[in-house]
Amino acid sequence: MDFKLSQSIEILERTPYVIESYLSALSNDWIKNDEGEGTWSPYVILGHLVYGEKKDWMLRIKTIMVDSERKAFEPFDRFAQLQEDQNRPIGLMVQEFKELRKENLEDLISLEIQQHHLSRKGIHPAFGEVTLQQLIATWAVHDLGHIAQISRVMAKQYSKEVGPWFDYLSILKQ
């Protein structure tokens, strides 16, 4: 499938609602359990998504879009959410994510990005030159990846409980 900004926005605008319907009002066992040491729970994953809305995607898009020689991205701390309050109610985090994403998508749309803008470049601290198209595509895929991650983490909570069906449930082997 070829990249289309409008199709990326379709995913980006739905993610907060997927997360909301998935995680709101679940017990702490579902949202706070992870896959073991060094892994993330659905709660931590949501914290990561919230932090990204504040410090990553739109800042980098605006860096690429501005007419300036300075196109270097600030490094993004992928683990910053671990320094945040880990007792904040999930409902508040979901609401914050929804509001931040709405604002960011309004900003994205207001940039009136055209096809010729998609080849503009920024400088990623690890990858070097990246295009606007790659950045926006990554934003959408990043969302999908974390939705899948949440599903996997939650599924693994019942790894033993499924008994002999374990071998037929590929999500438990990931």
Side-chain angles (χ1 to χ4, degrees):
M1 177 166 122
D2 292 332
F3 176 87
K4 291 187 180 103
L5 178 60
S6 62
Q7 290 177 329
S8 293
I9 291 172
E10 289 174 6
I11 298 299
L12 295 169
E13 66 189 2
R14 284 167 175 74
T15 299
Y17 299 98
V18 170
I19 298 292
E20 179 180 42
S21 66
Y22 220 6
L23 299 182
S24 292
L26 284 179
S27 66
N28 271 347
D29 284 342
W30 285 118
I31 63 170
K32 293 283 188 139
N33 285 338
D34 55 34
E35 298 171 275
E37 188 176 337
T39 64
W40 292 357
S41 66
Y43 185 91
V44 171
I45 295 165
L46 176 57
H48 172 76
L49 290 168
V50 168
Y51 189 76
E53 291 303 304
K54 294 176 184 176
K55 300 290 185 181
D56 190 6
W57 306 108
M58 280 309 300
L59 294 175
R60 290 177 173 190
I61 288 168
K62 288 177 180 178
T63 296
I64 290 174
M65 289 298 290
V66 71
D67 287 325
S68 157
E69 293 299 313
R70 180 158 162 34
K71 299 288 185 174
F73 300 159
E74 293 295 322
F76 176 73
D77 183 355
R78 295 182 305 129
F79 304 99
Q81 73 278 7
L82 299 173
Q83 307 308 314
E84 300 289 325
D85 178 3
Q86 298 299 301
N87 294 308
R88 191 164 173 227
I90 193 83
L92 291 178
M93 290 175 60
V94 167
Q95 191 58 38
E96 182 179 19
F97 181 50
K98 284 172 59 178
E99 290 168 8
L100 289 168
R101 178 58 63 87
K102 182 178 185 286
E103 292 169 14
N104 281 340
L105 289 178
E106 287 170 356
D107 282 353
L108 179 66
I109 291 165
S110 76
L111 293 173
E112 298 181 355
I113 295 171
Q114 302 299 311
Q115 188 66 33
H116 68 275
H117 294 128
L118 295 175
S119 60
R120 287 188 179 188
K121 295 180 179 166
I123 310 297
H124 187 279
F127 308 135
E129 284 191 344
V130 295
T131 67
L132 180 60
Q133 177 178 309
Q134 291 168 332
L135 177 61
I136 295 170
T138 299
W139 190 8
V141 173
H142 179 266
D143 276 14
L144 294 168
H146 282 306
I147 291 168
Q149 181 184 20
I150 289 169
S151 295
R152 186 190 71 236
V153 170
M154 292 172 69
K156 285 189 175 181
Q157 301 313 305
Y158 277 179
S159 288
K160 293 178 187 155
E161 288 74 6
V162 300
W165 281 280
F166 181 90
D167 289 337
Y168 293 98
L169 300 168
S170 61
I171 193 169
L172 298 177
K173 298 176 189 176
Q174 294 177 1

